[in-house]
Amino acid sequence: MSGGAGEQTVGESGAGTVEGAVAGVGQGAGQAVGDLERLARAALTRVVEPGDEVGGRWLRECGPVELMRRLTSLDFDEAAEVLTGVTGKRLGGYRMRAAAADPARDLAAVAEVGGRFVCPGDEEWPGQLDDLGDGRPVGLWVRGRPHLRMWALRSVALVGARACTSYGAHMAASMGAGLAERGWVVVSGAAFGVDGAAHRGVLAAGGATVAVLACGVDVVYPRGHAELIGRIAEQGLVVGELPPGGHPTPSRFILRNRVIAALTRGTVVVEAEYRSGSLVTARSAQRLGRFTMGVPGPATSGLSAGVHELLRGEGVLVTDAAEVVELVGDIGDLAPARRGPVLPRDLLDPVAALVLESLPARGSVDARGVARSAGTTPDDALGKLYELHSLGFVERRGDGWQLTPGAMHHANVGRGGT
């Protein structure tokens, strides 16, 4: 994509370094976007905020190179005529940021930390992000060696409360490890609490994990997760919409969640209050037609209240990785059947079970009394009593029969006890 005006605009602050900037990000990732378009999109990540649908509409209507030309080369009145849908004050903000953008510098900065810039149209671009429509990222800044699109094809988001309980951290770590062992990529936000536990669980299992940040991929946030984010960059992928040096804000955290939801096949929420950002991720997943799952917690815990509200709607209850994979995986990825322990009395034939249930919890009864209660003949009842005696369920007491002490508990359970 080229042209006299567009060429001059995009290269305003870095025209002489187009080749160097593109070479700096490498060509091994299956890039298909032209040099000028890549520079324009890199510049626009400093101009258009994540999730800005007005900027996304402009980008869709005229393309990145032409959009940068309109923002930087036209005078204000001309720009206002062709870039509609915003106030003059907001348009002025776009123009000011566009004039200051230096995409060549940003591409060189991400290359210094072993990263790259992935655009729509690149072979590495995850096509599922296009489901966001005009809210689609302009591009993604990526650190790490793995192929983003290939990893995203088989991925699950695992998110939850920052101030999680020990239960939430345990569930996130064990579920992350279980998904990794089944060959699934776990995507989260590298935050404290559930996010960090999920990433650590995956890394401990030697699995694949992606951290989607609300800041530049060269920025460590939160600072307490410097080591964790470094490990993810070495073993997995660190992804963000903001250019190098970009700082996080509350709104950027919320908008980051839509990328987590769109990138994955489904979202699992471990712990979340009613106003948790994790529920924003879940709701984004629902709007995009992705699976939404929740891990239940104590009904008395405020940190589980948001999850339970999700489960009262369209969310699906899950308790381990196998149940997640059963929902988001391929045909035949079934979780094992759930059932309680098999008790010895479960193995009795129906008549023997009736005879056993006919014996009182205390005291003894003769064979005729057992037969009447069980609805069978005295001979059949007596035969089953001797059979139960050999199995240790009953014992003889004079002319009567009674439950052995070890069998009394199971007999009471059968009668509705606890």
Side-chain angles (χ1 to χ4, degrees), residues 54-281:
V54 173
R57 175 173 59 81
W58 292 342
L59 188 57
R60 170 173 52 81
E61 290 174 349
C62 62
V65 175
E66 175 62 16
L67 178 55
M68 282 297 294
R69 186 192 73 80
R70 294 180 182 184
L71 287 170
T72 57
S73 294
L74 301 180
D75 64 33
F76 185 86
D77 291 337
E78 290 175 324
E81 288 183 6
V82 293
L83 298 175
T84 60
V86 296
T87 63
K89 182 177 180 181
R90 186 173 171 186
L91 178 59
Y94 285 114
R95 287 166 58 82
M96 181 175 63
R97 292 192 295 271
D102 188 344
R105 180 189 61 196
D106 287 336
L107 289 169
V110 78
E112 287 180 6
V113 296
R116 58 194 178 277
F117 183 59
V118 179
C119 301
D122 283 339
E123 192 270 335
E124 192 179 359
W125 179 258
Q128 57 266 48
L129 291 178
D130 299 342
D131 293 345
L132 292 169
D134 288 341
R136 179 183 72 171
V138 175
L140 289 175
W141 301 89
V142 180
R143 282 178 64 194
R145 290 183 295 273
H147 193 284
L148 176 59
R149 183 177 68 85
M150 298 305 295
W151 270 30
L153 290 175
R154 190 177 169 86
S155 64
V156 176
L158 191 52
V159 297
R162 286 179 171 83
C164 68
T165 65
S166 57
Y167 163 79
H170 167 76
M171 291 302 296
S174 62
M175 191 167 285
L179 288 165
E181 290 167 357
R182 289 165 172 79
W184 285 79
V185 177
V186 173
V187 180
S188 198
F192 289 131
V194 166
D195 289 17
H199 288 305
R200 290 190 181 94
V202 175
L203 293 172
T209 189
V210 178
V212 181
L213 305 184
C215 55
V217 295
D218 60 337
V219 176
V220 174
Y221 190 90
R223 293 190 179 276
H225 275 178
E227 181 181 358
L228 175 62
I229 293 173
R231 288 180 62 198
I232 296 172
E234 290 177 4
Q235 297 179 227
L237 288 170
V238 176
V239 177
E241 294 180 79
L242 294 174
H247 65 278
T249 64
S251 63
R252 287 171 174 174
F253 280 114
I254 295 299
L255 290 164
R256 177 271 309 271
N257 295 340
R258 84 195 194 287
V259 176
I260 294 177
L263 201 60
T264 54
R265 286 199 192 180
T267 294
V268 182
V269 183
V270 176
E271 282 187 320
E273 296 180 298
Y274 283 122
R275 289 177 54 83
S276 171
S278 302
L279 296 182
V280 175
T281 310

Side-chain angles (χ1 to χ4, degrees), residues 367-395:
R368 289 186 176 276
V370 171
R372 283 195 300 270
S373 297
T376 186
T377 66
D379 288 342
D380 286 343
L382 187 60
K384 291 301 179 182
L385 285 167
Y386 277 110
E387 181 181 321
L388 292 169
H389 180 269
S390 67
L391 295 172
F393 285 101
V394 301
E395 60 187 15

